[in-house]
Amino acid sequence: MAMDAAMPRADKELGPRASAEEYVRRVSFRFGPPRLIGAELEWLTARADGTASRPELSSIVEALGPHAPKAIAPSSSARPLPSGSAISLEPGGQVELASVPCTSARQTVDRLVADAKMLRSLLARRAVSMLDCATDEIRPPHRLLRTPRYSAMELRFDRIGPLGRLMMNSTAAVQVSVDAGADDVELARRWELLHAIGPALIAAFGCSPALRGAPDGAWVSQRMRTWLSLDPERTAMVADPQKYPAWALDAPLLCVRSAGPEWHAPPGASFAEWLNGSLDDELGRRPTFADLDYHLTTLFPPVRPCGHLEVRYLDAQPGDLWQVPIATIEALLRSPEVMAEASAIAEPVRQLWVDAAQQGLAAVELRAAAVGLLSLAAESSPDMRFTTALDAAAARCMRGQLPGVAER
């Protein structure tokens, strides 16, 4: 997963659009033998005093000590936890563990289990608890992180509707990352599959029917509901990876970084408009490679290319059930034959993103696809220790039940 040689200096001004698209392609899709998998786990946090209120940011920073991310503690060394996971913090006080890339789901899981145990212990020292849920059912959204990035994000999302603040402050996810593949052909195959199975896996792992502050309406995954609506130009599915660079440039600017405490961007303006000179008078400078790198971090499609491919559509799971979607993704990418079978199972529901988040397993076609994919994952997993959990997940989906006690 090494970067291409001779990458440009970050402060160098960008050239014409064609070269900018080529740069996006290079940094978004790093080719090599597909062998690595990683994951990011998020948890809501609360005071461990029985009140369920949000902790103070200072309590979290003090608890994390040298492991605190520099974004909230500039003097911190941001030391990874013993098994290699890095800690970050989301706007509403959610804590996140990002594993190192591993050669198997089992290795990823074992490292995250160890580091999650340590993270709980660290936070408990300052009476902060981690909540195993994908949405906040009790507390209204409240932002703890007062950074320029999140202020700009909140401002843009508020112009669109109420779901942006809810996503930022009141949701948690499991994200799984895998290699892009050896070449364009393999990239296209992996990209297609990860999108095709999306609705079925949203239905299979959706477990956030309640979200304080959400508009009226019954949804199995209120967390995914927020993503589907908060900023469609920024979160849209891109069907063809070859079209991703153009889509990224045409996406609206979230903000333009500056030395001041507030980062703004002309409302509705795209990065492409900055690139073609339309915003020169308003912004006062030309975009650099660093600006484009930052812009890419503000885009949130359901499968995001970051050199590797980041699957972003899965709810955080109760207890240790976050291991199951990681094992599922690994198994379904096991071989071209398994991928072809998985794609065929998912074909009838591959466009049902909204139905999956809203109805989940109550929709007969989505339930059938979820059961089929989890059963295939159980048969195909390279680690037999995951088979029982995958079979249990398939059986639970067959009964139409959300993740929880039935699988333990």
Side-chain angles (χ1 to χ4, degrees):
M1 298 177 69
M3 287 289 290
D4 293 341
M7 294 300 288
R9 282 176 40 183
D11 60 354
K12 182 180 178 181
E13 289 188 4
L14 287 161
R17 175 168 180 138
S19 64
E21 287 193 15
E22 174 60 20
Y23 177 76
V24 173
R25 187 195 68 78
R26 290 174 66 193
V27 299
S28 298
F29 307 109
R30 301 174 197 168
F31 292 142
R35 62 186 186 87
L36 299 177
I37 186 169
E40 298 177 12
L41 308 179
E42 296 173 351
W43 292 270
L44 303 175
T45 56
R47 293 181 184 176
D49 58 4
T51 66
S53 56
R54 293 181 191 273
E56 298 292 331
L57 180 60
S58 59
S59 297
I60 298 176
V61 173
E62 291 170 5
L64 297 179
H67 306 290
K70 289 183 178 293
I72 60 170
S75 62
S76 170
S77 60
R79 185 188 308 162
L81 293 178
S83 291
S85 304
I87 299 173
S88 59
L89 205 66
E90 296 299 317
Q94 307 97 313
V95 290
E96 177 181 284
L97 277 185
S99 76
V100 295
C102 299
T103 56
S104 69
R106 174 57 59 186
Q107 188 181 51
T108 300
V109 163
D110 288 348
R111 286 173 176 263
L112 284 170
V113 165
D115 283 343
K117 181 178 180 180
M118 181 171 180
L119 178 59
R120 287 185 187 274
S121 178
L122 289 172
L123 291 173
R125 299 186 309 180
R126 294 294 185 272
V128 177
S129 59
M130 294 159 53
L131 308 181
D132 298 326
C133 49
T135 49
D136 197 325
E137 303 179 14
I138 301 172
R139 305 169 300 187
H142 175 70
R143 183 159 60 94
L144 298 186
L145 295 191
R146 299 291 166 178
T147 64
R149 174 186 174 94
Y150 291 130
S151 294
M153 188 178 291
E154 185 176 82
L155 179 64
R156 174 169 173 84
F157 293 163
D158 280 352
R159 293 193 186 110
I160 299 171
L163 292 174
R165 286 191 183 220
L166 289 168
M167 179 282 293
M168 292 173 63
N169 302 303
S170 301
T171 68
V174 175
Q175 297 176 10
V176 184
S177 293
V178 294
D179 282 324
D183 52 31
D184 283 324
V185 173
E186 190 162 35
L187 165 64
R189 185 184 301 124
R190 293 165 78 83
W191 183 272
E192 188 277 337
L193 178 69
L194 293 174
H195 285 86
I197 63 178
L201 294 192
I202 289 170
F205 296 111
C207 58
S208 52
L211 172 59
R212 172 74 182 273
D216 290 342
W219 292 68
V220 168
S221 177
Q222 292 279 2
R223 185 201 68 85
M224 194 62 194
R225 178 190 189 184
T226 67
W227 281 107
L228 291 169
S229 304
L230 64 90
D231 190 349
E233 292 180 285
R234 191 176 308 279
T235 63
M237 182 183 70
V238 183
D240 182 351
Q242 299 302 321
K243 295 181 179 178
Y244 183 81
W247 176 83
L249 293 182
D250 289 332
L253 286 164
L254 177 71
C255 58
V256 175
R257 293 179 297 170
S258 68
E262 296 184 356
W263 297 351
H264 297 296
S270 68
F271 194 94
E273 289 175 278
W274 192 11
L275 188 63
N276 70 22
S278 299
L279 307 180
D280 283 0
D281 290 343
E282 190 163 1
L283 296 179
R285 65 178 180 83
R286 305 292 298 134
T288 65
F289 284 93
D291 291 318
L292 181 50
D293 286 338
Y294 190 81
H295 174 66
L296 295 176
T297 72
T298 70
L299 307 178
F300 308 110
V303 178
R304 181 167 70 173
C306 306
H308 53 273
L309 304 181
E310 183 182 79
V311 176
R312 302 178 54 85
Y313 47 68
L314 298 165
D315 278 7
Q317 300 291 287
D320 59 2
L321 292 178
W322 53 264
Q323 300 179 28
V324 182
I326 300 174
T328 300
I329 297 292
E330 178 189 52
L332 296 181
L333 290 171
R334 179 75 186 281
S335 69
E337 293 75 22
V338 173
M339 292 171 67
E341 186 172 352
S343 186
I345 291 170
E347 181 60 31
V349 300
R350 61 180 301 148
Q351 303 297 333
L352 302 184
W353 293 83
V354 174
D355 290 347
Q358 189 167 30
Q359 301 177 44
L361 298 170
V364 174
E365 286 186 319
L366 284 161
R367 185 190 303 189
V371 172
L373 290 174
L374 287 167
S375 298
L376 176 61
E379 296 170 6
S380 307
S381 176
D383 189 326
M384 296 303 295
R385 290 171 290 179
F386 284 132
T387 300
T388 299
L390 290 164
D391 278 334
R396 186 257 305 162
C397 288
M398 179 72 77
R399 297 190 297 270
Q401 295 176 323
L402 274 61
V405 176
E407 287 173 289
R408 299 192 182 186

